[in-house]
Amino acid sequence: MSRTAAPTGAKTRLMSEMKALRKETWIHFHDDDDQDSNILKWHFALMVINSDSPFNGGYFKAEMTFTDEYPYQPPKFRFLIPITHPNIYPDGQLCISILHKPGEDITSGEEASERWSPLQGAESVLRSVLLLLDDPEINSPANVDAGVMYRDRRGEYLEKATETAARSKKDVPADFEMPTSFVEAPPPKQDDDADFWAGSSDEEFDFGGSDTGDEDEMDFDDDEGEGEGSDEDEDDK
């Protein structure tokens, strides 16, 4: 791919990915002038709606930036709110394999399948971030103090996470309603069967069965007639 074609390809793909993500309920894009003019920089919030998560109810503002080499090079992700977490640096950036450049890394021990590849996308990154919030990797923490707290003082860690989620709600826009569940409600049950049958006439459900029944009845009568005649003949004899 030529250098002149790269920017167009990256922007076209990103516009398609953003369009699909706008339909998701766990992400809320912040529409602003900078985002409208620069598709390579996204502003949004990730929402955690999971009663089992210490960050439940969180509305975490974040940004993701891309280069003209996307999707051949990974984007960068950064939370815009301080979060005490083993894999989040003080500046909000993440230490997560999917954001590392393609290929194996002998130093870190990461395999190529764990790192970025052009087959990944923005949604893959964001879902990985949400999973990481609830399941930290403490073997190689970006925030050592948070890693020690998570390992040795879990109660304190959970309390800080709850406080962070509560503090994040101040960033929820006034015209936005936080979802209470990411599972779509089942369609309402229709209780109009009685009305359906009451409003239907016999003609609507006449499939010709009555005609067939008449023919059978006529044949039955004929058979009976033949049977009576044979009995009279026997008497005459």
Side-chain angles (χ1 to χ4, degrees), residues 6-21:
T8 302
K11 292 177 180 178
T12 299
R13 172 160 169 168
L14 287 170
M15 286 189 290
S16 176
E17 291 192 37
M18 179 184 283
K19 182 179 179 180
L21 282 168

Side-chain angles (χ1 to χ4, degrees), residues 41-171:
K41 190 171 186 178
W42 293 6
H43 295 152
F44 53 89
L46 291 179
M47 287 166 280
V48 179
I49 307 299
N50 176 8
S51 59
D52 296 328
S53 171
F55 295 100
N56 183 41
Y59 181 90
F60 300 122
K61 294 179 67 175
E63 67 178 18
M64 192 152 54
T65 56
F66 307 83
T67 69
D68 291 340
E69 297 180 65
Y70 182 83
Y72 300 99
Q73 293 298 325
K76 292 183 178 180
F77 179 97
R78 183 168 73 94
F79 280 114
L80 301 181
I81 177 176
I83 300 177
T84 300
H85 187 283
N87 306 116
I88 301 178
Y89 290 102
D91 64 354
Q93 294 195 55
L94 268 68
C95 179
I96 185 172
S97 298
I98 195 174
L99 292 178
H100 296 164
K101 292 183 178 181
E104 295 185 1
D105 186 346
I106 300 177
T107 303
S108 65
E110 292 178 344
E111 297 181 2
S113 59
E114 300 175 290
R115 297 162 68 90
W116 178 261
S117 80
L119 298 178
Q120 306 282 8
E123 181 173 351
S124 300
V125 172
L126 298 177
R127 290 187 179 276
S128 296
V129 171
L130 288 174
L131 289 174
L132 188 68
L133 282 176
D134 294 343
D135 189 17
E137 172 54 60
I138 62 173
N139 291 329
S140 55
N143 185 330
V144 176
D145 291 339
V148 173
M149 186 189 303
Y150 180 85
R151 185 191 62 195
D152 300 335
R153 306 190 306 278
R154 187 67 60 86
E156 182 181 348
Y157 174 84
L158 296 178
E159 184 177 351
K160 281 187 172 293
T162 301
E163 292 174 354
T164 301
R167 187 172 67 251
S168 72
K169 293 180 180 179
K170 69 180 179 60
D171 293 325

Side-chain angles (χ1 to χ4, degrees), residues 198-210:
S200 303
S201 65
D202 293 339
E203 294 180 357
E204 293 179 13
F205 298 99
D206 185 357
F207 299 104
S210 59

